[in-house]
Amino acid sequence: MGKLETERMRSILISGMPRSGSTFLWQCVREIVKNDPTISLDRNHGGVHGKNYDLVFFTYRNIFDIVKSLSLTHKIDIQGVLEKEFFKEYLHQFLDDLDKGELIIYEKYLPEEPNKLIDLVFNRIFPEIPKNQTNKIIKKFSLEENKKRASKYKDFSSYDKKDSMIHGDHITSDGFGLGNLLSKEEANIILGFPRVSEYIGIHKEIYKQRID
């Protein structure tokens, strides 16, 4: 996927399953494009929803971590997460639209190498962005800073609509290995959900311990 053209209005979408790092990526990209009238930046969950974009980034994360994180946030069990209509909808949209964008693997870059992720994405948009600026942006939207933002809201129903898109209870932990907290029975429930095996097959390497 090449760099964006500069002669016309450009459209960018950041999408993915909930809890897959799309908010962090959106925050960082928005920070560099928010004052540029030639760029339109969208963010959603699932896929492109029938729209056309010049550049699409799909964030991808271990499905067991996603479901466990949603369970903690919404204070419901694993079956309750899977029964949420949004979960099935987003999963289907993500899988159906995946060929329309570039895949960003959560576990590959976060938490240890967010700089590489942001450099990769920024290079598609503004390759001239200096390194010291990307470092400032990453620090501004670090896990610690986003936890502080989330603490200002009482629960997930309240969030910062104007700036960060962070909800109350948005961050339930440091986020890595949450799926290891699942029982074998809970993991099997997730594995049996329609199209989860297809999702896992996209990047099977990160599931070795759970599905072997």
Side-chain angles (χ1 to χ4, degrees):
M1 189 177 296
K3 298 181 180 66
L4 290 176
E5 300 173 7
T6 57
E7 292 82 10
R8 60 179 177 83
M9 172 70 78
R10 299 165 289 173
S11 57
I12 304 170
L13 172 68
I14 294 171
S15 186
M17 289 294 287
R19 295 299 190 277
S20 64
S22 60
T23 299
F24 169 72
L25 186 56
W26 175 85
Q27 289 172 328
C28 293
V29 173
R30 179 179 178 273
E31 193 69 9
I32 63 164
V33 306
K34 62 184 180 182
N35 296 319
D36 188 330
T38 70
I39 293 181
S40 168
L41 176 65
D42 285 349
R43 171 186 172 270
N44 64 35
H45 291 308
V48 301
H49 297 272
K51 297 181 180 179
N52 293 316
Y53 294 92
D54 295 304
L55 197 54
V56 178
F57 294 102
F58 288 116
T59 54
Y60 178 95
R61 183 185 179 189
N62 183 312
I63 193 71
F64 297 110
D65 286 0
I66 286 175
V67 175
K68 183 60 179 179
S69 180
L70 289 170
S71 171
L72 292 171
T73 292
H74 295 286
K75 300 176 175 59
I76 55 178
D77 62 17
I78 299 305
Q79 187 64 50
V81 172
L82 300 179
E83 289 175 356
K84 290 283 187 181
E85 189 61 33
F86 75 79
F87 185 86
K88 178 181 179 181
E89 178 185 344
Y90 293 155
L91 180 61
H92 281 250
Q93 288 170 344
F94 179 88
L95 292 169
D96 290 344
D97 289 349
L98 192 56
D99 62 344
K100 298 179 174 66
E102 180 167 345
L103 193 64
I104 302 293
I105 306 296
Y106 183 98
E107 288 81 3
K108 183 176 180 180
Y109 296 104
L110 302 170
E112 296 181 357
E113 298 186 305
N115 296 66
K116 287 187 177 180
L117 167 59
I118 301 307
D119 286 347
L120 181 153
V121 173
F122 282 9
N123 188 55
R124 300 287 195 270
I125 307 166
F126 292 128
E128 69 278 8
I129 293 289
K131 296 289 185 182
N132 63 336
Q133 187 171 343
T134 63
N135 290 336
K136 288 179 182 177
I137 292 171
I138 290 170
K139 184 177 180 180
K140 180 176 180 179
F141 299 110
S142 66
L143 185 64
E144 292 73 21
E145 292 302 315
N146 277 336
K147 282 182 177 179
K148 292 177 184 177
R149 293 182 178 97
S151 69
K152 298 177 182 178
Y153 302 93
K154 64 177 182 177
D155 55 37
F156 196 75
S157 65
S158 305
Y159 69 102
D160 179 7
K161 300 178 183 179
K162 185 177 180 181
D163 186 32
S164 68
M165 302 298 287
I166 290 290
H167 294 248
D169 289 336
H170 198 125
I171 302 169
T172 53
S173 73
D174 289 348
F176 302 94
L178 276 175
N180 295 329
L181 301 176
L182 295 168
S183 68
K184 185 174 182 180
E185 180 182 4
E186 289 174 325
N188 286 335
I189 290 172
I190 296 170
L191 285 170
F193 192 78
R195 301 193 75 178
V196 161
S197 60
E198 184 180 347
Y199 182 94
I200 288 174
I202 293 169
H203 197 67
K204 199 170 183 179
E205 294 87 345
I206 62 175
Y207 298 95
K208 194 168 183 62
Q209 288 184 327
R210 176 56 74 177
I211 64 176
D212 279 359

